[in-house]
Amino acid sequence: MKFLSQLISGISLGSIYALIALGYTMVYGIAKMLNFAHGDVIMVGAFVVYTACVKGGMNPVLGVLLAIVFCTVLGVCIERLAYKPLRQAASLAVLITAIGVSYLLQNLALLIFKSDTKQFSSVVMIKPVTVAGLTVSGEIIATIIVSVVIMVALTLFVNKTKPGKAMRAVSEDKGAAQLMGINVNGIISLTFAIGSALAAIAGALMCSTYPALSPYTGAMPGIKAFVAAVFGGIGSIPGAMVGGVLLGVIENLSKGYISSQLSDAIVFAVLILVLLIKPTGIMGKKMTEKV
Amino acid sequence: MADVMLEIKKINVYFGVIRALRDVSFYVEKGEVVALIGANGAGKTTTLHTITGLLKPASGSIFLGGVDITKTPAHKIVSMGMAHVPEGRRVFSLLTVEDNLRLGAYTRKDKKEIAESMEEVFTSFPRLKERRSQTAGTLSGGEQQMLAMGRALMSKPSILLMDEPSMGLSPLFVDEIFSIIEKIKKQGTTVLLVEQNANKALSIADHAYVLETGSIAMEGKASELLNDERVRKAYLGA
Ligand SMILES: Nc1ncnc2c1ncn2[C@@H]1O[C@H](COP(=O)(O)OP(=O)(O)O)[C@@H](O)[C@H]1O
Ligand SMILES: [Mg+2]
């Protein structure tokens, strides 16, 4: 029973990592950059929900929608203002800029909300469910259901729709994609928009399950989701999903059965092991760059 | 020159400090097949990339049907009627053959017309029809070349740029590719053909230009260049 309960909350935590990892991996796949500010977009999303719902008394569903819109706009603006001017620059310059944007978001949140941890109140309105003596919280149920729906929808979008196919074309070969008439800048904006919308949802779900919010809330899940993306194979959408869920499960089971202090070390040890055996990650493919 | 389809005027292209193209000028008349030949590294690919906007010239200009497209972004070129089959095919290897073809028609709206174009491509390249749901990466080199050509034709171009379509192919495929190019010409599409296989290129072209280390060294009727002593020595191995 303890195992099952640990496993289910691990899947739920992992689903949140997966939602964040999708943003990392899609942006990497399309723009070939690591957007280290992505984790902080989660925090921004959570603060929008906090301000709207906890402070402003808004309906939680509307609050989450507002956060999605806010983060989508924020993500697209970050790309346009900070990353787009560096499209031809060395990847190190882009990486440093991304870290700068991350600090900027954290410090803006510090300025507005101060450093004390806020008590977040859950946006989930589902009651806990008990099956055969095992009680699962509404937050966990909501997180898993929402994540599954999003992952199915995203997979269909990328594989079946015209903009989704254009995205995959850009990810494989920007030059050839342009020759097809695909506006690469437009596709990059779309990617940031989707990634940031997912980050807002992840932020709302995460803070509903673990209800503490501070300007640093996004940092650690951001890093773990990045690990999940690498774990699954950076650039691969199914990889981010599998990597995220596996990482959450490994983390939770380590916490439950080995040591809660060591759980992060175990997570990283597994990552190193996977990368030693398969350097491109579980589902990653070797890709060559073209002009 | 009322029927000039494409005109390149004194373009200069740099990679850093290296000048890859020097004052390159030439034109392609409507309905013609024009061959651009030259040794490896002469600047043929650079020329085509500059024409379709993947590279921007430091100076000079490019006109398509009289319209200055020098500063037009690459993704806006195909809907102006110019398609480019890039060197090395560059098909989207993780996408299916059919999805690759659909992306060729990315800027077209009419679903029925797109379906018709797809049928035309399948008629020209029956192998692609057989393999329509396979990912492009699983195709042989020759099939990928056909896919790259089919993909470009899906935009219904009035001018088609092709960069070494016969590169690395078996003689059987080379013949097939060249017969397709002749068919494309018969249908009224203008072709700018970059080729290593100068012999074959000159035998189907109307006009030809020879590029040497970034500048046009020779030009003329393809039939004349085919018999030119210098061309024969340098490019035809005779
Ligand atoms: N991306 C690049 N960066 C630097 N130099 C390049 C690049 N692409 C091509 N060149 C150089 O420009 C010249 C022309 O190359 P290219 O146009 O590919 O020749 P071709 O297609 O005729 O073989 C060559 O000297 C090549 O080394
Ligand atoms: Mg070349």
Side-chain angles (χ1 to χ4, degrees):
Chain A
M1 205 45 80
K2 179 189 171 192
F3 175 78
L4 210 56
S5 138
Q6 292 282 358
L7 183 67
I8 292 173
S9 57
I11 291 173
S12 165
L13 175 66
S15 304
I16 291 170
Y17 290 155
L19 291 182
I20 310 169
L22 282 168
Y24 269 114
T25 225
M26 287 173 75
V27 163
Y28 181 84
I30 301 293
K32 307 293 176 227
M33 67 160 291
L34 295 173
N35 177 20
F36 269 114
H38 186 58
D40 301 291
V41 177
I42 306 163
M43 172 273 294
V44 172
F47 267 115
V48 172
V49 175
Y50 173 80
T51 310
C53 302
V54 180
K55 291 278 172 207
M58 192 187 264
N59 173 297
V61 175
L62 289 181
V64 174
L65 286 178
L66 181 69
I68 291 173
V69 172
F70 191 93
C71 289
T72 302
V73 174
L74 176 70
V76 172
C77 289
I78 290 174
E79 195 280 322
R80 282 285 153 96
L81 298 175
Y83 304 149
K84 194 179 170 200
L86 299 175
R87 211 50 69 66
Q88 310 299 331
S91 56
L92 195 59
V94 184
L95 187 68
I96 291 167
T97 306
I99 293 171
V101 173
S102 165
Y103 277 114
L104 179 72
L105 293 178
Q106 286 181 14
N107 286 323
L108 281 176
L110 266 177
L111 208 65
I112 300 168
F113 296 101
K114 309 291 176 269
S115 63
D116 60 301
T117 303
K118 308 279 187 295
Q119 182 68 29
F120 197 86
S121 73
S122 175
V123 295
V124 176
M125 293 168 289
I126 302 172
K127 298 226 151 44
V129 173
T130 307
V131 181
L134 178 73
T135 303
V136 182
S137 75
E139 282 73 23
I140 286 182
I141 296 170
T143 301
I144 294 175
I145 291 174
V146 167
S147 304
V148 168
V149 169
I150 286 176
M151 289 181 204
V152 170
L154 192 66
T155 305
L156 289 176
F157 171 77
V158 166
N159 290 310
K160 302 284 179 212
T161 69
K162 192 172 166 181
K165 286 171 189 173
M167 245 177 181
R168 290 198 291 151
V170 169
S171 147
E172 192 172 331
D173 188 334
K174 279 193 188 57
Q178 282 171 283
L179 295 180
M180 303 299 108
I182 297 169
N183 178 353
V184 169
N185 283 328
I187 293 292
I188 292 177
S189 291
L190 176 66
T191 309
F192 271 83
I194 294 175
S196 306
L198 297 186
I201 297 170
L205 290 170
M206 186 179 75
C207 288
S208 295
T209 314
Y210 312 93
L213 175 60
S214 85
Y216 307 111
T217 294
M220 200 57 188
I223 290 174
K224 292 218 183 116
F226 169 63
V227 170
V230 174
F231 196 47
I234 188 103
S236 156
I237 287 178
M241 298 175 184
V242 171
V245 173
L246 274 181
L247 195 115
V249 169
I250 294 169
E251 181 180 328
N252 242 33
L253 293 182
S254 316
K255 269 189 188 135
Y257 290 97
I258 305 171
S259 145
S260 53
Q261 276 92 26
L262 280 181
S263 69
D264 285 348
I266 292 167
V267 164
F268 284 94
V270 173
L271 171 79
I272 292 167
L273 209 68
V274 167
L275 293 185
L276 281 176
I277 298 164
K278 197 161 182 297
T280 51
I282 302 172
M283 301 196 168
K285 290 188 179 70
K286 188 92 196 83
M287 290 278 230
T288 45
E289 286 274 348
K290 286 177 192 136
V291 187
Chain B
M1 295 206 308
D3 306 7
V4 173
M5 180 68 131
L6 178 69
E7 188 173 14
I8 288 58
K9 277 189 181 163
K10 298 191 101 174
I11 54 169
N12 285 280
V13 176
Y14 292 81
F15 290 110
V17 294
I18 298 163
R19 192 170 168 193
L21 295 183
R22 310 165 171 267
D23 290 329
V24 169
S25 301
F26 66 94
Y27 64 91
V28 179
E29 260 178 55
K30 203 170 170 198
E32 282 198 330
V33 172
V34 171
L36 185 63
I37 60 174
N40 230 337
K44 306 182 295 297
T45 298
T46 304
T47 305
L48 292 197
H49 278 179
T50 311
I51 293 172
T52 40
L54 291 176
L55 290 170
K56 292 293 169 201
S59 62
S61 36
I62 301 159
F63 295 88
L64 176 63
V67 179
D68 187 346
I69 57 162
T70 318
K71 294 199 160 63
T72 307
H75 71 270
K76 293 205 172 135
I77 296 288
V78 68
S79 54
M80 300 177 81
M82 182 156 62
H84 180 166
V85 183
E87 181 179 69
R89 329 184 208 307
R90 291 171 74 167
V91 295
F92 302 111
S93 64
L94 303 175
L95 273 66
T96 63
V97 167
E98 194 171 328
D99 283 345
N100 269 274
L101 292 175
R102 279 190 197 292
L103 283 172
Y106 186 78
T107 56
R108 294 173 63 191
K109 297 279 178 283
D110 192 318
K111 285 211 166 67
K112 206 173 132 248
E113 282 179 24
I114 294 173
E116 280 167 18
S117 297
M118 179 101 62
E119 278 316 309
E120 282 168 29
V121 168
F122 283 151
T123 312
S124 302
F125 306 101
R127 281 158 189 278
L128 295 183
K129 188 169 191 174
E130 287 164 33
R131 298 185 177 3
R132 65 196 292 170
S133 34
Q134 264 175 250
T135 54
T138 63
L139 301 183
S140 75
E143 290 164 347
Q144 288 190 9
Q145 187 60 54
M146 291 177 178
L147 179 57
M149 287 170 71
R151 186 179 66 174
L153 290 172
M154 285 298 290
S155 68
K156 280 211 156 200
S158 31
I159 175 166
L160 186 61
L161 274 45
M162 279 185 264
D163 198 343
E164 306 214 21
S166 74
M167 194 208 278
L169 301 187
S170 67
L172 214 68
F173 268 119
V174 173
D175 289 345
E176 201 168 338
I177 297 284
F178 274 93
S179 72
I180 296 283
I181 298 173
E182 283 188 314
K183 206 173 133 193
I184 291 169
K185 185 200 167 175
K186 277 210 190 81
Q187 289 168 348
T189 308
T190 310
V191 174
L192 174 57
L193 174 66
V194 160
E195 258 301 336
Q196 239 172 13
N197 196 332
N199 208 346
K200 282 227 167 233
L202 289 177
S203 31
I204 67 161
D206 300 297
H207 240 86
Y209 294 85
V210 179
L211 204 55
E212 256 171 31
T213 54
S215 36
I216 301 283
M218 266 188 273
E219 63 184 276
K221 280 208 161 98
S223 52
E224 286 165 8
L225 287 180
L226 199 53
N227 296 314
D228 186 280
E229 199 54 38
R230 256 180 78 199
V231 174
R232 293 179 68 83
K233 260 215 171 88
Y235 303 106
L236 303 174

